[in-house]
Amino acid sequence: MRFLLDQNLPVRLCALLQQQGHEALHVEVLGLGTATDAEVWAEARRQDAVVVSKDSDFMVLAARKGRLVRLRVGNRANRDLFDIIDRNWPQVVERLDGGERIVELRA
């Protein structure tokens, strides 16, 4: 599965998702670090990627069409964020594979 990580997430998170067998892109690497949510969403659609973000604004876009993983984990140290994602990502992917378009991951 392909994921597009929003600017509010660390670029290094891509490596963790890649270790789990996924393709992971980050808006910074794609030159979209200052892009609007609509531009990020459009890029995700072009890339056939699931947006991953902490930003609740993507919920409106996801309600129309597309797929979103919204991280509701609060402000945490990167190692804590990585641990939460590492432990829970298989279930997130399972839910996406099962047809859910919006998956919220809570700490």
Side-chain angles (χ1 to χ4, degrees):
M1 190 170 290
R2 181 178 293 158
F3 296 97
L4 177 60
L5 280 63
D6 193 18
Q7 56 206 10
N8 56 18
L9 297 170
V11 174
R12 292 186 343 225
L13 185 54
C14 289
L16 175 64
L17 296 180
Q18 290 165 353
Q19 288 172 355
Q20 292 196 12
H22 305 289
E23 187 173 346
L25 309 166
H26 196 282
V27 293
E28 283 290 330
V29 175
L30 297 176
L32 298 171
T34 59
T36 65
D37 290 347
E39 291 168 330
V40 170
W41 195 258
E43 182 63 23
R45 302 265 327 252
R46 277 192 290 281
Q47 297 274 350
D48 191 29
V50 178
V51 173
V52 181
S53 181
K54 289 176 149 185
D55 188 349
S56 64
D57 293 343
F58 281 105
M59 296 292 281
V60 174
L61 295 166
R64 293 184 211 144
K65 196 168 186 180
R67 297 181 296 165
L68 170 69
V69 175
R70 180 162 178 236
L71 303 177
R72 297 191 66 177
V73 296
N75 291 327
R76 297 179 176 269
N78 282 348
R79 75 172 172 268
D80 294 337
L81 173 65
F82 285 35
D83 182 56
I84 289 167
I85 290 174
D86 192 42
R87 283 185 285 114
N88 293 287
W89 209 252
Q91 293 84 6
V92 167
V93 171
E94 183 177 307
R95 290 173 62 188
L96 290 166
D97 282 342
E100 290 185 49
R101 291 187 317 106
I102 300 171
V103 175
E104 289 190 298
L105 176 58
R106 298 173 188 261

